[in-house]
């Protein structure tokens, strides 16, 4: 799938162009984001979503906030960069790629400022850094895809949850990358996609991008995952991640934990596919991962149709944490972390230069 989820248009001044994912699958509309406020809003309302894509969006968001200030003093540019990063960090709490990208942007500006560069040169550096984050994400998707595809035999069937595909990254995705690469290698792979209540990323996005790519995809409701596993239809589960603690506990879209428990019961290998930028080396265990809570209306009147009594109490956590013990392996760009433990995660982070 070569869907252009997010990219930068033009040079400087320029703008970010995204597919408005809130409108898929019925409308494929590109949205031009010209201010940092527009980028903040796009992240918050999930017009751009999925951990790696949020990281890329954050880099471009900083550029949008700073590009008009290239004629200012270096101190001023650095100060504005820090303020912009602090503000963008409030867009969503769980996907660590947001904070990872903002830290990377801020570190670049700080380094260039310390090297006595001018305001314009600092902005040039930020432009370069944001483009690198975008480009590297695409390369990482391909690596995860190549490593993950080795696990898929011709004719295999994979179950996935939420959307960790092209729409969640700058290229092939994470959990869907092995499927795209296996397809490119000539294998026939089938996918069962959980619809993923309440925002239906599985139905609206995963089913859409796989269907468009002519990959055999079957949509099921979340509650059917156990049934298709029981019927022996699933060879492996591949999901993405929003934040991975140092011991391998993994936060991903709400419902992922239930899928992992079901996979365990049925002896089906459960794989997480994620770039090293999704690891939070500051967090030892999954219970320290902040979980976003979203509005009640997503459950009571999803997509404009009321399906619950007015005034009923609602709890709407957007993510859950799958304990490392349920994970067969985490597929990263530096290899598979088999049956993750703190020591194995640390070894992978060292290999990738993250520690
Ligand atoms: O709320 P969303 O749609 O941003 O949640 C996305 C997910 O949970 C994805 O599985 C995760 O970010 C990995 S994307 C490669």
């Amino acid at each position: 799938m070569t869907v252009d989820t997010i990219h930068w248009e033009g040079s400087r001044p320029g703008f970010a162009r995204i597919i408005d994912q809130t409108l898929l699958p019925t409308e494929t509309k590109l949205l031009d984001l010209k201010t940092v406020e527009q980028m903040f809003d796009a992240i918050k309302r999930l017009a751009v979503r999925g951990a790696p894509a949020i990281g890329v969006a954050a880099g471009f968001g900083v550029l949008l906030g700073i590009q008009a200030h290239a004629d200012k003093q270096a101190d001023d540019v650095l100060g504005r960069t820090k303020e912009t990063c602090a503000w963008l960090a409030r867009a969503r709490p769980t996907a660590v790629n947001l904070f990872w990208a903002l830290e990377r942007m801020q570190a670049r500006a700080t380094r260039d400022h310390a090297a006595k560069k001018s305001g314009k040169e600092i902005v040039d550096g930020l432009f370069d850094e944001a483009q690198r984050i975008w480009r590297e994400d695409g390369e990482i998707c391909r690596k995860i895809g190549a490593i993950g595809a080795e696990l898929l035999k011709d004719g295999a069937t994979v179950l996935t949850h939420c959307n960790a595909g092209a729409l969640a990254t700058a290229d092939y995705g994470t959990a869907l990358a092995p499927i795209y690469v296996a397809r490119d290698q000539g294998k026939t792979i089938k996918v069962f996609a959980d619809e993923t209540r309440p925002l239906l990323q599985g139905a609206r996005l995963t089913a859409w991008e796989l269907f468009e790519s002519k990959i055999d995809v079957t949509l099921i409701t979340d509650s059917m995952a156990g049934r298709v596993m029981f019927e022996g239809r699933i060879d492996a589960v591949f999901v993405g991640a929003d934040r991975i603690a140092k011991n391998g506990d993994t936060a991903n879209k709400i419902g992922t934990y239930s899928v992992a428990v079901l996979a365990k019961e049925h002896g089906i290998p459960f794989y997480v596919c994620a770039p090293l930028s999704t690891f939070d080396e500051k967090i030892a265990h999954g219970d320290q991962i902040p979980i976003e809570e979203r509005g009640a209306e997503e459950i009571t009147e999803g997509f404009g149709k009321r399906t619950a009594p007015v005034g009923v109490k609602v709890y709407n956590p957007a993510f859950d944490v799958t304990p490392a013990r349920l994970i067969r392996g985490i597929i990263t760009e530096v290899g598979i972390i088999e049956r993750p433990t703190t020591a194995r995660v640390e070894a992978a982070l060292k290999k990738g230069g993250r520690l």
Side-chain angles (χ1 to χ4, degrees):
M1 180 82 179
T2 47
V3 55
D4 208 351
T5 301
I6 181 165
H7 71 270
W8 186 261
E9 268 295 309
S11 175
R12 268 195 15 239
F15 56 89
R17 180 165 283 169
I18 64 165
I19 292 181
D20 185 345
Q21 298 194 32
T22 63
L23 303 176
L24 287 170
T26 50
E27 216 183 312
T28 312
K29 192 177 161 206
L30 298 176
L31 202 57
D32 292 343
L33 306 173
K34 298 188 170 168
T35 66
V36 61
E37 289 81 9
Q38 287 172 349
M39 182 60 88
F40 184 97
D41 179 61
I43 296 172
K44 200 172 176 61
R45 65 184 187 87
L46 275 55
V48 56
R49 34 69 48 205
I54 292 173
V56 173
F60 290 156
V62 174
L63 270 192
L64 291 172
I66 208 71
Q67 64 179 352
H69 301 282
D71 57 341
K72 302 276 185 340
Q73 296 294 316
D75 287 352
D76 193 11
V77 172
L78 180 62
R80 278 175 196 270
T81 304
K82 286 182 178 168
E83 276 166 29
T84 308
C85 287
W87 186 66
L88 278 169
R90 300 212 297 264
R92 291 188 78 187
T94 304
V96 78
N97 302 62
L98 172 70
F99 312 100
W100 168 84
L102 293 173
E103 276 166 27
R104 195 167 148 171
M105 294 295 283
Q106 193 166 308
R108 177 67 184 260
T110 305
R111 217 166 46 238
D112 287 349
H113 179 268
K116 304 273 181 252
K117 294 199 175 171
S118 67
K120 180 184 170 304
E121 286 169 329
I122 296 175
V123 176
D124 288 345
L126 287 169
F127 187 79
D128 174 63
E129 200 65 36
Q131 294 284 1
R132 274 173 198 268
I133 291 172
W134 173 77
R135 210 172 32 249
E136 285 169 16
D137 185 59
E139 291 161 6
I140 289 167
C141 289
R142 295 288 168 140
K143 286 185 186 158
I144 291 174
I147 294 168
E150 286 176 29
L151 301 171
L152 296 174
K153 290 203 190 87
D154 189 23
T157 302
V158 173
L159 183 137
T160 191
H161 190 77
C162 193
N163 173 266
L167 287 165
T169 63
D171 190 69
Y172 262 2
T174 58
L176 299 191
I179 293 157
Y180 288 124
V181 171
R183 185 271 317 267
D184 295 346
Q185 293 168 344
K187 296 177 193 166
T188 301
I189 307 295
K190 291 188 184 149
V191 180
F192 276 83
D194 286 351
E195 73 174 349
T196 316
R197 282 272 287 153
L199 291 183
L200 308 186
Q201 287 92 333
R204 294 187 303 106
L205 309 177
T206 298
W208 179 78
E209 65 165 88
L210 291 175
F211 193 64
E212 289 285 310
S213 303
K214 303 194 174 21
I215 287 174
D216 185 334
V217 56
T218 304
L219 178 64
I220 55 172
T221 68
D222 302 344
S223 53
M224 295 169 190
R227 181 65 199 171
V228 294
M229 289 184 188
F230 180 82
E231 289 173 352
R233 294 171 186 254
I234 307 298
D235 297 304
V237 175
F238 281 11
V239 296
D242 286 85
R243 194 185 292 226
I244 304 174
K246 252 180 109 178
N247 69 342
D249 290 353
T250 295
N252 191 48
K253 179 53 55 194
I254 192 73
T256 302
Y257 171 47
S258 317
V259 176
V261 172
L262 285 169
K264 177 91 176 170
E265 169 69 15
H266 293 89
I268 297 166
F270 179 94
Y271 286 97
V272 171
C273 306
L276 294 183
S277 53
T278 301
F279 287 76
D280 187 343
E281 73 282 2
K282 299 186 205 81
I283 282 184
H285 299 104
D287 54 9
Q288 294 166 269
I289 298 175
I291 301 294
E292 177 180 12
E293 275 188 47
R294 296 185 61 89
E297 70 291 348
E298 289 182 355
I299 295 179
T300 57
E301 45 193 318
F303 304 96
K305 168 104 176 106
R306 176 155 282 277
T307 52
V310 174
V312 74
K313 275 200 291 183
V314 169
Y315 177 47
N316 184 16
F319 300 94
D320 58 26
V321 177
T322 299
R325 66 174 184 281
L326 297 178
I327 300 172
R328 176 68 180 77
I330 305 178
I331 305 172
T332 75
E333 67 270 35
V334 295
I336 303 178
I337 308 172
E338 303 277 355
R339 301 189 191 284
T341 59
T342 302
R344 290 177 189 160
V345 168
E346 269 176 4
L349 291 176
K350 274 191 193 131
K351 192 171 173 191
R354 281 289 311 277
L355 275 186

